[in-house]
Amino acid sequence: MTRKPGPAVALMVAASVVTMTALAGCGGQTSAPSDKSPSASPSAPAPHPVVRLSADGDALVPGGPPLPLHLSVTGLTAGQAQRRHVALYVGMVPDKVQIRENGSWHDVLLQWTNEQDDNGEFVAMLPLSYRGKARTQLDLRTFTADQRTVSVDGRTPAVTVTVAAQMARDPRSPDNHPSASAARLRLPVDPTHLTVEVPQVLRATEGGPPVEWSVRVRNAAGRLTRSDLRIAVSLAPGQVGGSVRRLHWSIDRQGHWTDLTGRTHVETDEFDLEPGRSRTVRIRLALPAGAEASSTDHVGAVLFAAVTAPWWPSDPEQPTGVTGNAEGTNVLVAR
């Protein structure tokens, strides 16, 4: 049933109409303009930031080239950017995450999350305000060392890595990302890995002829070519406090032996390895007469080898790089 207004209500409405008409006719009684723009109106909804994540390439190669990642943020005001971060979660063990700023790459601080869980992640907290402006595009790249995939019943199981990104208000709280709100990438891991083969023991005579030590690096079990690799070799004394400065050693460079006496570290030129291919480096070493040796294991020197890349700084004391731990050989003093 429809209700009709009574006489008293009708009279009140009519009086209101007359009053409003009279006010409209007074030219000097206009109201002051509002200093708020339509976009600043309290009734207008605040922009809702949206994070998108993408990657260059469809597979991750541990120990291979860095994986480029791209973050885009839309619907973000400058005021919101000053109070917010974007969290990048990496479900693997990255050696390094970098961000591109002012035309160059800079390292990003990584935090470990979910420490008690084997499925924990590393997270990079990135401020969304840079030099007073909101960031809308962030270019990143992540590096990860070589990880040998364990085969099961002669087969290599499929492995994937998850990378996720979401908005964060507190940079000190790298909690795990809610699966419903994070932009996610699931990347298959190419099982390519590098194997470094060195002899376990090398025997040399004090003051005797040189012995040869070889390093063989193989790109095994993968589908992708490994590019811009180097073999790093370091020479260390066989006992604490010892010296190898007088030890004669040299490296074969395309059929020519280059003397390395007085040095403790050398790296090859850069090279590529196609799947299944290998590269061998030869080293000659001679112990001088009167070389000191440990009284227990008679080690006169130790040789280390690892595979490095242009983005991986090699340690002259004991090289580690995209192959993980260096492979070593004891040079025993044959008496």
Side-chain angles (χ1 to χ4, degrees), residues 165-183:
Q166 73 166 14
M167 300 292 295
R169 291 183 178 273
D170 189 353
R172 298 167 300 177
S173 179
D175 295 332
N176 282 342
H177 53 83
S179 58
S181 65

Side-chain angles (χ1 to χ4, degrees), residues 100-279:
R100 188 173 182 85
E101 293 174 339
N102 299 326
S104 58
W105 293 100
H106 304 276
D107 292 349
V108 176
L109 177 66
L110 295 175
Q111 303 178 62
W112 176 249
T113 69
N114 204 10
E115 189 173 356
Q116 301 303 319
D117 189 346
D118 290 339
N119 295 321
E121 298 166 307
F122 281 89
V123 59
M125 306 294 285
L126 307 167
L128 285 175
S129 179
Y130 184 67
R131 295 186 173 180
K133 296 182 179 179
R135 282 174 165 170
T136 57
Q137 300 287 335
L138 295 93
D139 293 326
L140 303 118
R141 61 182 183 180
T142 179
F143 302 83
T144 181
D146 191 40
Q147 301 170 4
R148 184 187 297 271
T149 303
V150 179
S151 61
V152 178
D153 296 331
R155 292 187 174 185
T156 302
V159 179
T160 59
V161 163
T162 299
V163 180
Q166 73 166 14
M167 300 292 295
R169 291 183 178 273
D170 189 353
R172 298 167 300 177
S173 179
D175 295 332
N176 282 342
H177 53 83
S179 58
S181 65
R184 300 166 71 88
L185 289 176
R186 191 173 296 276
L187 300 168
V189 178
D190 186 271
T192 299
H193 61 262
L194 300 170
T195 59
V196 179
E197 301 172 7
V198 298
Q200 293 184 351
V201 175
L202 200 66
R203 297 185 181 275
T205 304
E206 294 180 58
V211 292
E212 187 167 307
W213 183 73
S214 62
V215 181
R216 180 173 180 261
V217 178
R218 183 169 179 262
N219 180 1
R223 303 184 304 271
L224 302 180
T225 297
R226 306 293 289 273
S227 303
D228 301 328
L229 302 175
R230 302 187 307 263
I231 298 176
V233 178
S234 288
L235 178 66
Q239 60 182 0
V240 177
S243 174
V244 292
R245 291 293 179 182
R246 294 191 303 116
L247 195 150
H248 303 293
W249 67 310
S250 57
I251 185 172
D252 178 22
R253 297 190 185 277
Q254 299 179 349
H256 300 282
W257 291 96
T258 301
D259 183 52
L260 302 173
T261 303
R263 299 171 59 180
T264 60
H265 184 73
V266 66
E267 292 186 356
T268 67
D269 57 320
E270 294 182 8
F271 60 92
D272 299 342
L273 278 183
E274 297 178 358
R277 300 297 296 272
S278 64
R279 170 80 179 265

